[in-house]
Amino acid sequence: MADEPTKILLDESELPTHWYNVVADLPAPPPPPLHPGTHEPIGPDALAPLFPMSLIEQEVSGERYIEIPEAVREVYKLWRPSPLYRARRLEQLLDTPARIYFKYEGVSPAGSHKPNTAVPQAYYNAEAGVTKLTTETGAGQWGSALAFACAQYGIDLEVWQVAASFAQKPYRASMMRTWGARVHASPSELTEAGRAILAQDPDSPGSLGIAISEAVEAAMADEATKYALGSVLNHVLLHQTVIGEEALKQLAKVGEQPDLIVGCTGGGSNFAGLFFPFLREKLAGNMDPHILAVEPAACPSLTKGEYRYDFGDVAGMTPLMKMHTLGHDFIPDPIHAGGLRYHGMSPLISHMYELDLFEAEAIDQMTSFEAGVTFARTQGIVPAPEPTVALAAAIREAQACKETGEEKVILTALCGHGHFDMAAYDAYFAGELRDYDYPEAKVAEAMARVPVIAG
Amino acid sequence: MADEPTKILLDESELPTHWYNVVADLPAPPPPPLHPGTHEPIGPDALAPLFPMSLIEQEVSGERYIEIPEAVREVYKLWRPSPLYRARRLEQLLDTPARIYFKYEGVSPAGSHKPNTAVPQAYYNAEAGVTKLTTETGAGQWGSALAFACAQYGIDLEVWQVAASFAQKPYRASMMRTWGARVHASPSELTEAGRAILAQDPDSPGSLGIAISEAVEAAMADEATKYALGSVLNHVLLHQTVIGEEALKQLAKVGEQPDLIVGCTGGGSNFAGLFFPFLREKLAGNMDPHILAVEPAACPSLTKGEYRYDFGDVAGMTPLMKMHTLGHDFIPDPIHAGGLRYHGMSPLISHMYELDLFEAEAIDQMTSFEAGVTFARTQGIVPAPEPTVALAAAIREAQACKETGEEKVILTALCGHGHFDMAAYDAYFAGELRDYDYPEAKVAEAMARVPVIAG
């Protein structure tokens, strides 16, 4: 045991040189986004007010590999390649013949996988002469990742953070300010969208949908300002493939191939980043892992949502995207895995789910937190609530191996640490957390408000 | 530039096999601790009610190298060897010919260097059949490190945390609970010492001195329970030398030798861990670094304190130790580098300061926070307040190199991240922080209460 490494590390010279675009290996690309008014497919130009052309090209690209610019690789090296861990102490506790590996993204400055896309997004904007970005954030994972990235390329950043989170979880905003961003509670008096909400309800707690509206409005109001999004879109998933490319090399170093790949899904970018490169190898016949997405039972877009066109935001301002959705104005129950509380699934991942390229299941909050605590006490790292849904599935599978004697190789992604989520652990230990039944009636109501579109 | 690494990593096979005991290379060991009543030197047996014999042997050992048990190395591998970073983005901002390296201990599960000693302390206690430990903690760095360590060896842990910190910084206690520890606000009703304070002042905010008394009392009350301390003592400094041993190997990998080693000092364990192995090489004539301790101007035990026998705690219950002290009941101004707010300096480091083996200076709080923000915006990592005093000195020296053209190699230790200290950054940006003059009168008053002892 002493000879087998706990952490499998890569040299900086082994940092991937290219992102992998899974679209190139699919029988068909995902259905195009539609204009919210005309319901006609929109072209790249429609996105130009919000994103620089280089990112729009990545969004619609069919190229298999896209080169990572040297200036992005230099910033990645502040924390990448990230370690792949063998969870040997967890295996010992479970007394399982399974071998559990986890790719740890919490080593990034912002403590999650989000900087993998924040950095190239800031870079391409800077390259295009953009001097300011706007974005929205909920609990603050994405906002802090983009604040870090903007500091690296001298871009100003203005963040609209959902007011309830701004008040309850102030330290993510502190982090954003430390990296030089300005942070506003949303709804704010700074935009028409915000003022309209405040006129109706001066004490509005805000929502991600409102914050998106404010950030988009602020970006549209100024030529040199653009907007950035932290999940869901193709270019975001593309950037995250550095996770899986590294993990492929790391497992190869110890002569392993995964039998099971399991990741948590909210918008889907962390799961995509992990499994896309492994799927490429599977499609090429080089390995045959079972691939499993795990979502929270309170917000099960893949396992319960319909696959149809819907809006990305509550207010219905974004293009219509074909995806697994619970309805764009569905408000999930208040589970602590805030990053998984999204009504829809990435259109690309949804498309791939329809192609039966992976499976999905939903797991309860209490089971997830129990897994998180077990993980923390054995492996040390206190996980963010989001990846605990995948840890719970990994632990269950490892326990099953104890019954069958199977030496299964399980790979999961620990997408972030829980240093800014300790209040959730407090609530768990205080007995204040609970499971939520699937809100069938609430989803049905929300789905009734989704526009009906042919195709 | 693209070829030179940002992070210099070691394989787990390069993890040090031995701790380095600097006492072996000094002309004389530090003066012995004295009994608080008789003022006679105390022997190892006097410490046996509190510590297992293996740790007491390390405390008084003159052996140059002490082997790290395999079971400790296995837990170290959860995060060690820790990375050595070249701070190239900071160098670019400063436009300096200096090369700045920092050894980053924030990768540990608890986010600081404290687990380097918490893990062996828990291990040796478990080996001796101890089933429970007690300790005190202020802001919670040490308490959380020991909670993590105790979870690895199945030891129960009870922590008394200073009540003011328990209320103002709840998330370190959440972390301790996540790892399975019980945490009490101190003063508590659970000990005689606590009840006595509460009888006088039911709203007492507590102090480290009171918390020590409670933890020691609880350990003394039960045969199978012992006590653990996170800094100051020789065995603690010994365990921290893994930092410097790794850094020596890492710098050698890139063909560098330090011209300046700069570390922050509170109790002294992080600074000791970094510089002891380099001092060994210096004494052997293998290199000639300038070695600099930096302390906060509000609590300058090395630069302003007297070198004489004093107590380690406010209440005067510990053995008397010869050290640089500001007086055992001196209460420092409320700077945010809480880990550096200690009235005394480790006796071993104090002894070495008297031997002119390194230099020391004090730096103001505002200068330190400015350095911390500059560091965060260039290197990404948000530093804990404690190491920012050393970063401030490193930045100043690098700026001086710009004037002189000197290509100085500067090595510092970033002993932890600031994820649990964001309120301090908030206060900095809100303009609520300030510098504190050296409290000369308050120190003189405290020193008047230090017992006068010959020798």
Side-chain angles (χ1 to χ4, degrees):
Chain A
M1 166 171 158
D3 303 311
E4 297 168 32
T6 297
K7 303 175 294 297
I8 301 134
L9 304 177
L10 297 177
D11 277 346
E12 288 173 10
S13 62
E14 297 170 288
L15 184 71
T17 56
H18 292 74
W19 293 300
Y20 167 58
N21 183 10
V22 75
V23 172
D25 287 325
L26 300 181
L34 306 181
H35 188 279
T38 66
H39 297 187
E40 293 296 318
I42 59 170
D45 287 350
L47 298 171
L50 291 179
F51 303 109
M53 200 43 74
S54 44
L55 286 175
I56 296 171
E57 281 165 11
Q58 292 182 359
E59 185 65 22
V60 299
S61 172
E63 290 292 313
R64 183 169 279 107
Y65 293 102
I66 293 175
E67 191 168 7
I68 307 175
E70 191 54 37
V72 169
R73 284 166 47 89
E74 283 307 309
V75 178
Y76 274 173
K77 287 177 187 170
L78 290 176
W79 75 96
R80 302 208 74 84
S82 69
L84 179 74
Y85 276 85
R86 170 89 182 269
R88 200 175 277 110
R89 301 181 80 80
L90 176 60
E91 293 168 17
Q92 284 165 355
L93 179 82
L94 300 175
D95 190 23
T96 174
R99 299 193 289 283
I100 306 172
Y101 292 88
F102 65 94
K103 179 76 169 160
Y104 184 43
E105 293 296 310
V107 292
S108 81
S112 79
H113 65 296
K114 295 284 185 184
N116 294 336
T117 184
V119 170
Q121 288 196 50
Y123 166 76
Y124 287 117
N125 273 287
E127 189 195 41
V130 175
T131 55
K132 187 174 149 184
L133 282 173
T134 67
T135 200
E136 73 287 334
T137 198
Q141 283 279 13
W142 168 243
S144 56
L146 193 60
F148 155 68
C150 285
Q152 302 308 310
Y153 300 106
I155 294 180
D156 284 338
L157 174 65
E158 213 160 341
V159 181
W160 275 264
Q161 181 171 22
V162 175
S165 293
F166 185 85
Q168 287 162 15
K169 300 187 176 184
Y171 297 140
R172 278 278 171 198
S174 315
M175 209 174 193
M176 295 180 226
R177 279 189 288 266
T178 301
W179 282 317
R182 270 176 298 161
V183 192
H184 312 295
S186 168
S188 76
E189 293 284 356
L190 299 164
T191 66
E192 278 187 35
R195 288 189 292 273
I197 300 285
L198 289 173
Q200 287 171 18
D201 177 5
D203 299 320
S204 166
S207 75
L208 214 46
I210 298 167
I212 292 176
S213 302
E214 294 204 273
V216 168
E217 182 186 324
M220 300 289 276
D222 177 21
E223 184 98 18
T225 299
K226 299 226 180 269
Y227 166 79
L229 194 68
S231 190
V232 174
L233 298 180
N234 296 355
H235 69 272
V236 177
L237 275 48
L238 173 79
H239 299 154
Q240 293 294 352
T241 59
V242 288
I243 300 174
E245 294 289 9
E246 288 178 6
L248 264 175
K249 290 188 200 182
Q250 286 164 312
L251 282 178
K253 278 198 184 227
V254 287
E256 296 270 39
Q257 287 194 345
D259 297 303
L260 170 65
I261 296 173
V262 55
C264 64
T265 50
S269 74
N270 168 62
F271 176 61
L274 177 68
F275 95 89
F276 282 2
F278 284 90
L279 180 69
R280 176 188 66 216
E281 300 305 314
K282 181 176 180 168
L283 294 173
N286 296 328
M287 54 176 69
D288 192 24
H290 182 74
I291 301 172
L292 180 64
V294 189
E295 52 189 15
C299 193
S301 56
L302 274 173
T303 53
K304 299 278 190 179
E306 279 184 61
Y307 182 56
R308 57 188 277 196
Y309 274 102
D310 196 3
F311 297 107
D313 68 327
V314 177
M317 291 171 64
T318 68
L320 287 154
M321 298 178 289
K322 196 161 184 182
M323 60 184 178
H324 289 83
T325 179
L326 300 168
H328 60 275
D329 61 4
F330 167 71
I331 306 288
D333 287 313
I335 55 166
H336 280 270
L340 308 184
R341 293 179 71 241
Y342 186 64
H343 70 275
M345 179 50 58
S346 146
L348 177 53
I349 293 183
S350 293
H351 174 62
M352 292 168 70
Y353 189 54
E354 291 299 307
L355 294 171
D356 286 330
L357 293 173
F358 64 92
E359 294 181 30
E361 67 168 279
I363 282 191
D364 281 327
Q365 172 159 269
M366 296 301 281
T367 308
S368 306
F369 266 87
E370 189 189 344
V373 171
T374 299
F375 186 84
R377 290 188 183 170
T378 48
Q379 294 298 130
I381 299 164
V382 178
E386 289 81 0
T388 62
V389 301
L391 289 175
I395 287 174
R396 184 198 60 210
E397 295 296 316
Q399 283 167 330
C401 290
K402 190 182 172 182
E403 304 304 315
T404 62
E406 216 180 338
E407 294 188 12
K408 206 178 259 188
V409 174
I410 300 171
L411 171 65
T412 189
L414 191 64
C415 58
H417 61 62
H419 299 172
F420 294 87
D421 305 284
M422 295 313 301
Y425 282 91
D426 275 348
Y428 174 71
F429 288 117
E432 292 163 6
L433 295 197
R434 65 176 181 91
D435 290 333
Y436 295 91
D437 289 335
Y438 172 61
E440 197 168 349
K442 215 165 69 169
V443 170
E445 280 171 39
M447 289 306 296
R449 290 183 292 267
V450 173
V452 178
I453 291 167
Chain B
M1 167 174 155
D3 304 312
E4 296 169 33
T6 297
K7 302 176 295 298
I8 301 132
L9 304 177
L10 297 177
D11 278 344
E12 288 174 10
S13 62
E14 296 170 288
L15 184 70
T17 54
H18 293 74
W19 293 300
Y20 167 59
N21 183 8
V22 76
V23 172
D25 287 326
L26 300 182
L34 306 181
H35 188 280
T38 67
H39 296 187
E40 292 297 316
I42 58 170
D45 287 351
L47 298 170
L50 291 180
F51 304 109
M53 200 45 71
S54 44
L55 286 174
I56 295 171
E57 281 164 12
Q58 291 182 359
E59 185 65 22
V60 299
S61 172
E63 290 292 312
R64 184 170 279 106
Y65 293 103
I66 293 174
E67 192 169 6
I68 306 175
E70 191 54 39
V72 169
R73 283 165 48 91
E74 284 306 311
V75 177
Y76 274 173
K77 287 176 187 171
L78 291 175
W79 75 98
R80 305 209 72 85
S82 70
L84 180 75
Y85 276 85
R86 170 88 182 268
R88 200 175 276 108
R89 300 181 82 80
L90 176 61
E91 292 169 17
Q92 284 163 355
L93 178 83
L94 300 175
D95 190 22
T96 174
R99 300 193 289 285
I100 305 171
Y101 292 88
F102 65 94
K103 179 75 170 161
Y104 183 42
E105 294 295 310
V107 293
S108 81
S112 78
H113 65 296
K114 295 284 184 185
N116 294 335
T117 184
V119 170
Q121 288 195 49
Y123 166 76
Y124 287 117
N125 274 286
E127 190 194 40
V130 175
T131 56
K132 186 173 150 187
L133 282 173
T134 67
T135 200
E136 74 287 333
T137 197
Q141 283 278 12
W142 168 242
S144 56
L146 193 60
F148 154 70
C150 284
Q152 303 307 311
Y153 300 105
I155 294 180
D156 284 340
L157 175 65
E158 213 160 342
V159 182
W160 275 264
Q161 181 172 21
V162 175
S165 294
F166 185 85
Q168 288 162 14
K169 300 189 177 181
Y171 297 139
R172 279 278 170 197
S174 315
M175 209 175 195
M176 295 181 227
R177 278 189 289 267
T178 301
W179 282 318
R182 271 176 299 159
V183 192
H184 312 294
S186 168
S188 76
E189 293 284 356
L190 299 164
T191 65
E192 278 187 38
R195 287 189 292 271
I197 300 284
L198 289 173
Q200 288 172 17
D201 177 5
D203 299 320
S204 166
S207 75
L208 214 47
I210 298 167
I212 292 176
S213 302
E214 293 204 273
V216 168
E217 181 185 325
M220 300 288 277
D222 176 22
E223 184 99 16
T225 300
K226 298 222 181 270
Y227 165 80
L229 194 68
S231 190
V232 174
L233 298 180
N234 296 355
H235 68 273
V236 177
L237 275 50
L238 173 80
H239 299 153
Q240 293 294 353
T241 58
V242 289
I243 300 173
E245 294 289 8
E246 288 178 7
L248 263 175
K249 290 188 199 180
Q250 287 164 311
L251 282 177
K253 278 197 186 230
V254 288
E256 296 270 40
Q257 288 195 344
D259 298 303
L260 170 65
I261 296 173
V262 54
C264 65
T265 50
S269 74
N270 168 63
F271 176 61
L274 178 68
F275 96 89
F276 282 3
F278 285 91
L279 179 69
R280 176 189 65 217
E281 300 306 314
K282 182 175 180 170
L283 294 175
N286 297 327
M287 54 177 66
D288 192 24
H290 183 74
I291 302 171
L292 180 64
V294 190
E295 52 189 12
C299 192
S301 56
L302 274 173
T303 54
K304 298 277 190 181
E306 278 183 62
Y307 182 56
R308 57 188 277 194
Y309 274 101
D310 196 2
F311 297 106
D313 68 327
V314 177
M317 291 171 64
T318 68
L320 288 155
M321 298 178 288
K322 195 160 185 183
M323 60 184 178
H324 289 84
T325 179
L326 301 167
H328 60 275
D329 61 4
F330 167 71
I331 306 288
D333 286 313
I335 55 166
H336 281 269
L340 308 185
R341 292 179 71 242
Y342 186 64
H343 70 275
M345 178 51 57
S346 146
L348 177 53
I349 294 183
S350 293
H351 174 62
M352 291 167 70
Y353 189 54
E354 290 299 307
L355 293 172
D356 286 331
L357 293 172
F358 64 92
E359 293 181 28
E361 67 167 278
I363 282 190
D364 282 327
Q365 172 159 271
M366 296 302 281
T367 308
S368 305
F369 267 86
E370 189 189 344
V373 171
T374 299
F375 187 85
R377 290 188 182 171
T378 48
Q379 294 298 129
I381 300 165
V382 178
E386 289 81 359
T388 63
V389 300
L391 289 175
I395 287 174
R396 182 198 61 209
E397 294 297 314
Q399 283 168 328
C401 289
K402 189 181 172 183
E403 304 305 314
T404 62
E406 216 181 337
E407 295 187 11
K408 206 178 260 189
V409 174
I410 300 171
L411 171 65
T412 187
L414 191 64
C415 59
H417 61 61
H419 299 172
F420 293 87
D421 305 284
M422 295 312 300
Y425 282 91
D426 275 350
Y428 174 71
F429 288 118
E432 292 163 5
L433 295 197
R434 65 174 181 91
D435 290 332
Y436 295 90
D437 288 335
Y438 172 61
E440 198 169 345
K442 215 165 67 167
V443 170
E445 280 172 37
M447 289 305 296
R449 290 184 291 268
V450 173
V452 178
I453 291 170

